[in-house]
Amino acid sequence: MSLADWNRPLWNNVLERRRRGAMPHALLLAGPAGLGKRAFGAALAALLLCENPGDVACGSCRSCLLVAAGSHPDRVELNLELRDDGKTLRTEIVVEQIRVLSQRLSMTAQFGGHQVALIDPADLMNTAAANALLKTLEEPGAGTVMILISDQFARLPATIRSRCQRLDFGLPNAAEAMAWLKRQGVDGAAQALEAAAGNPGLALELARGGGLALRTEVASDLANLWARKAGPAEVANRWAKSEAERRCWFAAQLAEAEAAAQARAARGPLALTAISDFNKLAQWFREAGRVREQLRTPVRSELLLLELLLAWRALAPAARRA
């Protein structure tokens, strides 16, 4: 399991804790998606269960082979489960899952070493599930290590966060990110990294999943709305039908970059005519972020998007409205 270069300091931190016999019972791997938290958690679980560990799991012992096969009896992973219809995933981790996990962790490790539990995404535990996990966090069994993985750790209750040792995953520098993307064979790595706001994992996803083309489409829509060449209702309906949340993320990102460029009296990515108060662009950026959050709830997405895009068009100078 390969670790990204920028996560090596965090890995060395864990190795040092392990060397001192100070491995915590609960680790919270926190930071934006795309920075390697899940690979880190998987590598750590493998190391803790390995029978011949070094700085990484050996990969060839009985435990490592069982981990690779997904059948190690002392490794359990808790994720979003399918609904009763067997077709769609739940939107939260529920209390029944935590109860099953706690019961399993109360037993003796079958291989006599660690028991390792990975909870991902931990921030999607509902209130009852989080409360049920507290008892296990407060009274962990000997050798139990829980690894909580969270893209938005602030959503976790403070009671959960306070009982975990947190490892913060941050953005690498541009040179590290570019080198990593090139090793993944990404064409246009610089463009992808810019679109991903410096996040290499997200840049890889955008480059391979058509995200860059979608971002270009969003930029075109915003520019056309600004210039009165497109109608907000038509654009809102189109956005609502496909990847509305991601479109909002791109729109917010583009508005933020435009505001920053105008603050420097420079040409922004949307090449908009300057407005008298560039802070209004920054305000719209925050509103786009709010709408993006609301799109995750059962709402009429086209109405939310219409309101947002009407507000965008209203920012255009009077000369543009004529």
Side-chain angles (χ1 to χ4, degrees), residues 40-278:
F40 190 103
L44 178 56
L47 176 67
L48 292 173
L49 295 170
C50 179
E51 297 170 4
N52 304 301
D55 285 351
V56 295
C58 74
S60 57
C61 69
R62 177 182 58 161
S63 282
C64 284
L65 294 176
L66 287 171
V67 167
S71 57
H72 197 294
D74 296 324
R75 183 190 188 279
V76 56
E77 187 163 352
L78 194 154
N79 309 110
L80 295 174
E81 293 185 340
L82 288 172
R83 296 183 186 275
D84 293 340
D85 63 12
K87 297 178 181 178
T88 58
L89 285 176
R90 295 181 183 273
T91 57
E92 58 187 13
I93 290 173
V94 297
V95 66
E96 289 80 6
Q97 292 176 264
I98 299 298
R99 287 173 179 160
V100 171
L101 172 67
S102 298
Q103 184 177 14
R104 181 165 176 177
L105 294 179
S106 68
M107 301 176 184
T108 303
Q110 292 191 37
F111 280 21
H114 284 291
Q115 289 194 94
V116 182
L118 295 101
I119 303 177
D120 177 25
D123 49 81
L124 290 186
M125 286 187 291
N126 63 24
T127 301
N131 289 337
L133 184 65
L134 275 177
K135 182 175 177 60
T136 303
L137 288 173
E138 291 168 347
E139 302 174 7
T144 295
V145 178
M146 282 178 280
I147 303 171
L148 282 66
I149 301 175
S150 175
D151 298 337
Q152 301 184 64
F153 77 92
R155 291 183 172 183
L156 282 165
T159 49
I160 296 288
R161 285 181 273 143
S162 67
R163 287 164 175 78
C164 300
Q165 294 291 313
R166 197 172 89 212
L167 295 180
D168 291 313
F169 288 69
L171 295 175
N173 63 50
E176 285 180 318
M178 284 291 292
W180 182 82
L181 286 170
K182 288 179 179 177
R183 287 198 297 273
Q184 311 309 311
V186 173
D187 293 326
Q191 181 189 10
L193 194 61
E194 178 186 3
N199 184 319
L202 180 56
L204 180 63
E205 179 188 343
L206 294 176
R208 291 181 174 174
L212 294 180
L214 186 65
R215 184 176 186 264
T216 298
E217 182 184 325
V218 169
S220 176
D221 285 338
L222 292 179
N224 286 334
L225 285 166
W226 187 272
R228 294 300 197 274
K229 294 179 180 178
E234 179 272 324
V235 176
N237 286 330
R238 180 157 41 82
W239 284 19
K241 291 176 182 177
S242 171
E243 299 194 72
E245 188 180 330
R246 174 169 279 190
R247 289 176 191 269
C248 268
W249 186 81
F250 284 139
Q253 182 194 62
L254 288 161
E256 182 184 36
E258 189 74 23
Q262 291 196 10
R264 302 190 306 269
R267 183 182 178 89
L270 297 172
L272 304 180
T273 302
I275 59 179
S276 58
D277 184 2
F278 69 85

